[in-house]
Amino acid sequence: MKSAKSIIISIFIVGGGQVYEGRLWVGIAFAVIFYGSIFLMKNIWTGLNPAFWGIVGVWILFWLYNIYDAYKGATYDKPPCEKACPAGITPWIYINLIATDSKEEYPFFPFFKILERICPAPCEDKCTRRGIDKPVAIKYLKSAVKMSPPQCNHKKRDKRIGIIGAGPCGLAAGYFLVKKGYGVTIYEKEEMPGGVLRTFIPEFRLSSSVLDEEIEKILNCGIELKCGVRVGADISLDELLQKYDALFVATGAGKPIKLNILGEENCLNGLELLKEIKKGKEFHLGRVGVVGGGNTAIDVARSLIRQGNKVTIYYRRRIEDMPCEHEDREEAREEGIEIVPLCLPQRVEDGRVTFIKTAAPEGRKGRIEIMPDSEFEVELDRLVLACGQIPDSAFLRKYLKVNQNGSIKVKNGRTSHPKIFAGGDAVLGSKTLAHAVGQAKEVADLIDFSLRGIAPGIGRFFKKSYMPRVEVLPIKDLPRIKIPHRDVEERKNDFLEVELRASEEELRKEADRCLACPLRYRP
Amino acid sequence: MKRIVQIVFVIIHNSYIPAFFSGGIYQGVLKRYCTPILNCWGCPLAWYSCPMGALQHFIGLRLIPFYILGIFSTVGMTIGRMSCGWICPFGFLQDILYKIKSFKLKLPNWCSYLKYVMLIGVAVFVVYLTEEPWFCKLCPDGSLIAGIPLVLADRSGDLRALVGWHYYMKIAILIFILLGSIGIKRFFCRTFCPVGAIYSVFNRFSLLRIRVNKKRCIDCGSCQLVCPMDVPIHRSPNHIDCIRCLDCKKVCPTQAIKYEVR
Ligand code: SF4
Ligand code: SF4
Ligand code: SF4
C-alpha cells in the first residue's frame, strides 16, 4: 500500500513519493531538476512563444516518469543468476536477505522447498562467483529463506478459470491466478495432486511430506481441486469451455519415447517402474541395465539399487554430456551404479542384450554416429528404457493444433483456440520444474491480461519490480559449503532423503559469498 | 581514481573564478586552445574552447578545420575515446545522475548510431549550408554551463532581452537530456554527442586498446553491469561506445580484461 500512497504524493509533489518511500536522493534530484527548471523559466520569462510548449512537454514527461518511478521503485541490471533462472526467482535478493540477517520476508513462491531439492540449478552454472572460486550454492541456500505465507485474497474478480492437470505447472498457475483474484478449479486424473512430483520423483530425492506441505500451502489459498476426473472421458472439454472463462491446459509429458529396437516389448518402462516403486512395489530383477542419461534414468537406477539389484546405466553420449544433474550422477556412482557411455542397445533377447558402440561429438547436440562392427553382448536380466518422455495431448487434437512430437503448438503464449491456454511440459516437452513454474507465471499473466483486455506487452511494463533493502557486503574469502549427504552405506538401503540440511550458521556463511552483483557492479 | 580525475578535470576546465565578480567570460590566451572534449567555451568559468564549437566555426566559414581535425585524430589515435571517460565534465555529470536509484531503462543498440546523424547531419552539413553553429544552438552542455548562468548573472539586461523561442528550446532539450541520463546510462554520450562520434571511429585503431581473453572470460556479464556506457565488452572489445574508463577491468573476477598499448 506504500506504493499507492507514494504515487499519490508524487502526482502532487514531484519527488515527494520517492522521499516517502525512503529514496531520499532520488526525490531530491527530481525535485531540484523539476522545480529548478520552473524557477528558471520564471526568472528568465520573456513572454510566450511556441518553444515554450516544448518545455511543457518535457515537464509532463518528467512528471510521468516521476509517477512511474514512484510506482515501480528502483530497478537494476539483472545479474547472471537472475537471468538464468527459468522460474523468475531473484536469487541474489534472498541470498542477501540471509546474509544480512534481515527481518524482511521473501515473497511467497510456489514449490520453493521442492526447487531446493530437485532443481538442476542453471543459476549456479552462471554465477559470477565461479570466476573467483566456485559458484554460490544458490539452490541449497533456499532452505534458509524466511518466506512470507502465500498472499491470495486481495481482490475478487467474478471470472472463473479451469485448469487441467494438477502437476507443478497447473498448481503454480492456480496460485498465481488466485492471487490475482480469479476463481480457480483444477482437474486431475490421478487420485492425488502433484503430477510428476508425486508419481515419478523418488522418495530419496523429494520426500512426500515436503511435497504435501508445499501443495497444501497452495491449495489453502482457495483453489478447488477435483481429483480422479479425466478430462475427455469423465467430463468433456466442451463442457469445461462453457463453464469457465478460460482454460489452462497443463497436462505435462507422460508418454515414454520408443526406441524401436528388437525385443522392446520385453523391456520395462522407466516411468512405469518409478510409479510402481513409489506405490511401494518391490522389484527384484537381478542384473538390470538402464538406457538413458536424464534424470529419469538416474532415478530408476538409484531406486533399483535400493531394492538390491545390480544396475548399470547405458548412455549414447559421453558421461559429461548426460543431461541429468551432475551431483545426482556422482551420488549414483558412489552408490555403486556403473555408467557405460557411448553405446546404444540393438537387440534384447532372453538374459542377453546386444549393444553397439557410438561416436558422439562434445555437447548434447550434434549427430551420433554408429560405429560399424562394434557390437558387444552383455548378460542382463532386464533392460529398462528411460530415454525421455513426450507430451500426450491426443484428446486435445480436436480443439488445438498439436506439434509432431505431441506438444501443443503455441505462438506468443497462445494456442490456436482463443479460450484455451497451455503451459508446462505439455508445451515445452520434458523440462525442469523451474521451467514449469516460470511458464505458469507467464501464462497466468497472459490469462489475466487477455481477460481484462490489456495487451500483454503493455501489461508487463506495468509490473512492479521487487527490491527490498539490499546491502553490498565486502567480498569474503570463504570456500563453498559442503552439502551434507547421508552415508553411502546407510542410504543405499532405504528411500529416505539423501541430502541433509546444513546448520543455519553454515548457510549464513555461504550466503556471505554472494557478491550481490547488481549492486556491486554499478557504474 | 576515475572520479578523482574527473573532478580534477572539471576544475581544470571550468575554474575561471574572476567570472563570479565580473560576470563575463574568460577571453585570454588559453581560449585559443581546444580541449579534446565537449565543454562549452561560452561558460563563464571555462578556460579553453570547445572543439565542436571551433569545428562549426570553421565549417561555417567554409574552411577545412585542420587544427581541430588534428587534435581529434591525435587524441583519437592514441587513446581512442578515453577522454570521454576520464576528463569530460558533462560525462561526469551524467555518471552522477545515473547513480540515482530510480527506475532505469535500456537503450536499443541502434541508438548508438544516432550520434553520427548528429555529427554529419547537424554539426557539418547543416552548419555548412546555413553558416550558423547549429549544434551549439541545440547543445545541452552549452545551455547548462553557458546559457543559463550567463542569463541569470546578466546585470545589464542585454542578454535577457535576447531570450526567445530558441533559448526555450535549448532548455527543453537540456531537461530532456538530464531526465534521460537519470534513467539511461550516459544518455547524451551514447546517442547525441558528436565529439564522441568522432572518437568512436578511432576506437578500433587507437594505440590504447582493450583486450578480452576469451578463454578466461566466463561470460558473467559483470563488465556490462558496471560499464557506464552499457557496452558488452566481453562480446565486442573496442566497441564504438567504449570510453576506456577501465572500470570493467577492475571488476572482472577472472582478470580477463586487459588494456594494451600497441
Ligand atoms: S554472486 Fe550472487 S548475485 Fe552474483 S551471480 Fe552469484 S548468486 Fe547471483
Ligand atoms: S567481467 Fe570478465 S569474466 Fe565476466 S563477462 Fe566480463 S570479461 Fe568475462
Ligand atoms: S567497456 Fe569497460 S572501459 Fe569501456 S566504457 Fe565500459 S567499463 Fe569503461
Side-chain angles (χ1 to χ4, degrees), chain A residues 523, chain B residues 2 81 85-86 186 203 210 222-234 236-239 241-251 257:
Chain B
K2 186 179 109 194
R81 240 184 128 170
W86 292 76
R186 286 220 185 195
N203 252 3
I210 291 192
S222 315
C223 43
Q224 193 176 358
L225 294 192
V226 81
C227 176
M229 299 290 270
D230 211 13
V231 170
I233 191 84
H234 55 301
S236 56
N238 303 315
H239 189 281
D241 271 351
C242 172
I243 52 173
R244 308 278 197 259
C245 66
L246 304 179
D247 281 358
C248 49
K249 177 177 173 289
K250 254 180 277 167
V251 303
I257 300 175

Side-chain angles (χ1 to χ4, degrees), chain A residues 73-294:
Chain A
T75 36
Y76 51 88
D77 282 337
K78 283 185 188 173
C81 52
E82 187 181 341
K83 274 192 205 151
C85 181
I89 295 177
T90 45
W92 64 284
I93 289 184
Y94 72 66
I95 295 175
N96 209 273
L97 292 180
I98 303 168
T100 51
D101 269 333
S102 170
K103 294 239 157 31
E104 198 152 350
E105 285 172 327
Y106 191 75
F108 179 80
F109 198 88
F111 300 119
F112 208 67
K113 285 269 137 66
I114 301 177
L115 284 169
E116 176 202 330
R117 288 168 168 82
I118 66 168
C119 186
C123 49
E124 289 180 26
D125 295 343
K126 290 271 181 272
C127 175
T128 312
R129 178 92 198 195
R130 81 193 196 284
I132 300 176
D133 41 25
K134 286 208 175 109
V136 179
I138 301 173
K139 163 185 161 191
Y140 196 66
L141 274 171
K142 286 194 173 69
S143 59
V145 174
K146 275 196 240 83
M147 182 160 282
S148 67
Q151 325 117 357
C152 25
N153 25 24
H154 302 315
K155 47 199 162 191
K156 279 274 159 281
R157 296 181 211 277
D158 51 0
K159 298 250 168 66
R160 295 196 54 79
I161 291 157
I163 295 177
I164 306 174
C169 188
L171 285 168
Y175 167 70
F176 292 123
L177 286 166
V178 161
K179 192 174 153 199
K180 292 181 199 299
Y182 294 99
V184 174
T185 310
I186 305 184
Y187 293 87
E188 168 63 46
K189 66 176 198 281
E190 305 281 340
E191 290 307 315
M192 296 277 272
V196 272
L197 303 177
R198 176 82 61 191
T199 35
F200 300 140
I201 306 283
E203 198 78 9
F204 56 86
R205 279 180 71 203
L206 170 66
S207 74
S208 310
S209 57
V210 177
L211 178 64
D212 287 337
E213 202 181 296
E214 290 289 298
I215 293 181
E216 192 74 3
K217 269 191 219 157
I218 293 176
L219 290 180
N220 278 347
C221 283
I223 295 175
E224 198 184 338
L225 179 69
K226 292 192 173 154
C227 281
V229 184
R230 194 177 271 274
V231 175
D234 301 333
I235 185 165
S236 78
L237 207 62
D238 285 315
E239 206 172 313
L240 290 181
L241 277 172
Q242 248 168 29
K243 223 162 140 188
Y244 297 102
D245 296 289
L247 270 188
F248 178 50
V249 181
T251 41
K255 197 171 153 192
I257 292 176
K258 285 237 162 69
L259 275 185
N260 293 327
I261 51 173
L262 283 173
E264 192 165 349
E265 59 283 353
N266 293 331
C267 299
L268 285 173
N269 174 282
L271 293 179
E272 290 296 321
L273 200 94
L274 282 174
K275 206 166 165 181
E276 297 292 319
I277 290 176
K278 265 218 125 171
K279 279 187 190 147
K281 201 170 158 192
E282 301 248 334
F283 287 86
H284 298 289
L285 304 169
R287 294 160 301 178
V288 192
V290 179
V291 181

Side-chain angles (χ1 to χ4, degrees), chain B residues 90-221:
Chain B
F90 198 60
F92 176 55
L93 175 74
Q94 290 174 72
D95 278 353
I96 300 297
L97 282 178
Y98 189 79
K99 278 208 169 282
I100 293 169
K101 285 182 195 156
S102 68
F103 168 69
K104 305 291 185 201
L105 284 165
K106 283 233 174 249
L107 209 58
N109 281 342
W110 55 264
C111 288
S112 294
Y113 299 99
L114 280 180
K115 53 181 171 288
Y116 296 111
V117 178
M118 213 61 191
L119 171 68
I120 297 165
V122 178
V124 177
F125 195 64
V126 176
V127 174
Y128 186 79
L129 286 183
T130 60
E131 304 188 10
E132 295 257 357
W134 264 99
F135 177 72
C136 285
K137 299 196 171 201
L138 306 173
C139 173
D141 188 46
S143 30
L144 182 69
I145 67 174
I148 294 173
L150 278 181
V151 171
L152 283 184
D154 184 32
R155 298 205 189 101
S156 58
D158 301 348
L159 279 174
R160 246 166 230 261
L162 289 178
V163 171
W165 69 272
H166 172 234
Y167 194 81
Y168 283 13
M169 185 179 68
K170 278 190 84 159
I171 290 189
I173 291 174
L174 173 65
I175 303 171
F176 180 68
I177 296 287
L178 290 182
L179 172 64
S181 38
I182 292 176
I184 300 168
K185 286 174 173 175
R186 286 220 185 195
F187 180 51
F188 177 73
C189 298
R190 285 163 70 193
T191 42
F192 299 124
C193 184
V195 179
I198 294 173
Y199 284 143
S200 64
V201 178
F202 291 105
N203 252 3
R204 203 157 287 209
F205 317 106
S206 62
L207 288 182
L208 181 93
R209 296 211 299 172
I210 291 192
R211 266 282 157 93
V212 179
N213 186 340
K214 286 257 154 71
K215 283 215 189 77
R216 296 190 85 156
C217 172
I218 53 167
D219 201 24
C220 67

Side-chain angles (χ1 to χ4, degrees), chain A residues 3-23:
Chain A
S3 107
K5 261 190 206 158
S6 59
I7 292 174
I8 294 170
I9 299 177
S10 266
I11 288 175
F12 294 105
I13 308 167
V14 171
Q18 283 79 354
V19 175
Y20 177 74
E21 273 174 14
R23 289 182 292 144

